[in-house]
């Protein structure tokens, strides 16, 4: 498949054969192999002539030699028509499902933002305008005290409108990440979710410091937490949820789990959850686009668990100096 003779191929590692942007996938696959989990996986490998070939590999346990377990990899070249995306390779059906899901989510979000602006913000500003007009007329008749009171009311209304606009802007692009960092933003996100959804208590456990999280991952992690909690609110019927962010053996691990009704993971993987599964598809794509791996665990009526993992040593390194001392920040562990 790759054009190598056996003796030429012997001694090479999968990491050496993988296309440059697929090396993170190699590390994920090897981790799953070592853990004895996961089914077939796909890798884009580079042949002897430089041609890229998409290979599906199946793992089969082999005999032990001196206490060292071995595995056999069965290789099959994937020949069906495939389309490239920014995060890797996807079959045509899955890509269409992803695009449809993105369009529905964007349409839903646009409608939600428009409703908040027109129903909440616009109505408050309109009331403030009426109060200011009334104050102008009162001032023309010399009612200074009443004018002062009316302007005070208008000021309070405009402050409320400003607060709602800032809250809406924070949902679209959280300024807290730029101002305070990811960790305080995640804590705020959990508290805000609990405030908005009184019947669901969200706890959080963060066992790393701000400098442990690469800048390129911060917004992605926030989006995954935001989308996961949104799924909890919309579908889980849970009374509690938990968010965990930790650094374990050079792996950045994010977990969001709940005690709700759960869902059928196999039905979702086969695209049979319809619109309800679009949020999960976006979460997986966010993780894969940032060189991570995402998994979903759930049992109907026994809750669900979303886990995203990034192997830090396999992430693309940002341009510029890399020998600066890491930023020191207090540990957040609540």
């Amino acid at each position: 498949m790759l054009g190598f003779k056996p003796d030429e191929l012997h001694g090479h590692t999968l990491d050496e054969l993988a296309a440059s942007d697929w090396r993170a996938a190699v590390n994920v696959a090897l981790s799953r192999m070592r853990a004895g989990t996961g089914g077939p996986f796909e890798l884009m490998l580079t042949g002897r002539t430089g041609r890229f070939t998409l290979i599906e590999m199946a793992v089969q346990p082999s005999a032990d030699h001196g206490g060292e377990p071995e595995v056999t990899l069965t290789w099959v070249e994937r020949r069906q028509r495939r389309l490239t995306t920014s995060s890797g390779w996807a079959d045509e059906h899955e890509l269409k499902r992803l695009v449809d899901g993105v369009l529905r989510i964007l349409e839903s979000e646009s409608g939600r933002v428009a409703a908040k602006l027109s129903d909440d913000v616009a109505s408050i500003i309109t009331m403030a305008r009426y109060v200011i007009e009334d104050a102008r007329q009162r001032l023309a008749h010399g009612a200074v005290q009443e004018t002062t009171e009316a302007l005070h009311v208008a000021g309070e209304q405009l402050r409320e409108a400003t607060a709602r606009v800032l809250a809406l802007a924070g949902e679209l692009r959280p300024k807290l990440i730029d101002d305070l960092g990811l960790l305080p933003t995640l804590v705020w996100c959990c508290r805000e979710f609990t405030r908005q959804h009184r019947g669901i208590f969200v706890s959080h456990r963060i066992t790393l410091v701000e400098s442990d999280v690469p800048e390129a991952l911060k917004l992605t992690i926030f989006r995954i937490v935001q989308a996961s909690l949104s799924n909890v609110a919309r579908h889980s019927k849970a009374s509690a949820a938990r968010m965990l962010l930790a650094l374990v053996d050079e792996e950045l691990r994010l977990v969001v789990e709940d005690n709700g009704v759960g869902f059928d993971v196999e039905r979702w993987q086969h695209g049979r959850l319809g619109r309800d599964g679009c949020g999960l598809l976006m979460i997986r794509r966010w993780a894969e686009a940032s060189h991570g791996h995402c998994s979903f665990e759930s049992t109907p009526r026994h809750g669900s668990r979303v886990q995203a993992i990034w192997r830090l040593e396999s992430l693309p390194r940002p341009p510029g100096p890399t020998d600066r001392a890491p930023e020191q920040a207090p540990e957040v562990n609540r």
Side-chain angles (χ1 to χ4, degrees):
M1 297 178 192
L2 302 180
F4 290 101
K5 295 180 180 179
D7 58 339
E8 295 173 331
L9 190 62
H10 180 72
H12 285 283
T13 65
L14 285 179
D15 185 77
E16 293 171 344
L17 297 173
S20 59
D21 55 348
W22 280 73
R23 287 170 184 164
V26 169
N27 291 323
V28 172
L30 293 178
S31 298
R32 292 168 60 189
M33 287 169 54
R34 284 191 291 267
T37 61
F41 57 91
E42 294 180 351
L43 292 177
M44 184 67 68
L45 302 184
T46 306
R48 184 179 183 183
T49 63
R51 183 176 71 91
F52 292 111
T53 304
L54 185 65
I55 303 292
E56 181 179 285
M57 297 185 177
V59 182
Q60 298 177 348
S62 185
D64 290 359
H65 296 281
E68 292 293 333
E70 295 183 358
V71 296
T72 299
L73 288 179
T74 303
W75 296 26
V76 179
E77 184 175 353
R78 298 300 299 267
R79 294 184 178 275
Q80 65 252 49
R81 183 169 176 255
R82 305 183 73 84
L83 301 175
T84 57
T85 68
S86 60
S87 60
W89 289 67
D91 60 42
E92 198 166 358
H93 172 71
E94 184 181 8
L95 186 60
K96 182 179 183 301
R97 189 158 64 96
L98 175 63
V99 171
D100 290 343
V102 170
L103 291 176
R104 282 194 293 266
I105 291 172
L106 289 176
E107 183 179 353
S108 175
E109 281 297 291
S110 298
R112 184 181 67 85
V113 171
K116 284 194 174 185
L117 288 175
S118 60
D119 297 343
D120 295 346
V121 179
S123 61
I124 294 175
I125 294 176
T126 299
M127 288 300 299
R129 182 169 61 85
Y130 288 153
V131 172
I132 292 173
E133 288 292 332
D134 180 67
R136 184 180 63 82
Q137 294 177 7
R138 291 177 185 275
L139 183 61
H141 291 85
V144 177
Q145 181 62 32
E146 294 178 355
T147 300
T148 302
E149 293 174 357
L151 290 176
H152 176 74
V153 171
E156 290 296 324
Q157 290 174 329
L158 291 175
R159 274 191 286 272
E160 173 67 15
T162 301
R164 296 198 182 193
V165 169
L166 291 176
L168 187 59
E171 294 178 19
L172 299 176
R173 163 70 192 192
K175 195 170 182 293
L176 283 176
I177 292 182
D178 300 323
D179 294 344
L180 300 179
L182 173 66
L183 307 190
T185 302
L186 292 179
V187 173
W188 167 82
C189 182
C190 292
R191 290 176 179 171
E192 186 67 13
F193 181 90
T194 300
R195 185 186 67 81
Q196 294 179 4
H197 306 275
R198 298 287 184 178
I200 309 175
F201 175 74
V202 179
S203 61
H204 52 81
R205 179 172 174 78
I206 301 175
T207 60
L208 43 70
V209 296
E210 188 75 26
S211 58
D212 289 331
V213 184
E215 287 294 329
L217 288 182
K218 291 184 178 181
L219 185 58
T220 297
I221 290 174
F222 174 81
R223 292 301 185 207
I224 291 177
V225 171
Q226 191 180 43
S228 299
L229 292 179
S230 177
N231 281 342
V232 171
R234 295 171 58 189
H235 308 297
S236 73
K237 299 181 181 178
S239 61
R242 184 173 75 121
M243 186 274 293
L244 169 68
L245 184 63
L247 185 62
V248 181
D249 297 331
E250 293 302 314
E251 285 186 346
L252 189 61
R253 299 184 183 181
L254 171 66
V255 175
V256 179
E257 55 189 5
D258 64 73
N259 64 350
V261 297
F263 65 98
D264 191 327
V265 177
E266 185 175 352
R267 286 190 63 206
W268 170 77
Q269 289 176 337
H270 289 84
R272 296 199 296 266
L273 288 186
R275 185 170 181 173
D276 291 344
C278 293
L280 298 175
L281 194 60
M282 289 299 300
I283 291 172
R284 188 178 74 176
R285 286 303 180 193
W286 276 325
E288 292 177 350
S290 56
H291 303 275
H293 168 69
C294 189
S295 63
F296 305 99
E297 300 174 17
S298 182
T299 303
R301 299 182 299 279
H302 290 85
S304 59
R305 174 186 174 97
V306 176
Q307 178 172 260
I309 297 177
W310 294 268
R311 188 73 181 173
L312 296 184
E313 64 182 15
S314 64
L315 293 177
R317 304 187 70 175
T322 58
D323 55 349
R324 292 180 299 176
E327 171 189 353
Q328 297 297 319
E331 180 176 331
V332 178
N333 187 356
R334 300 172 182 166

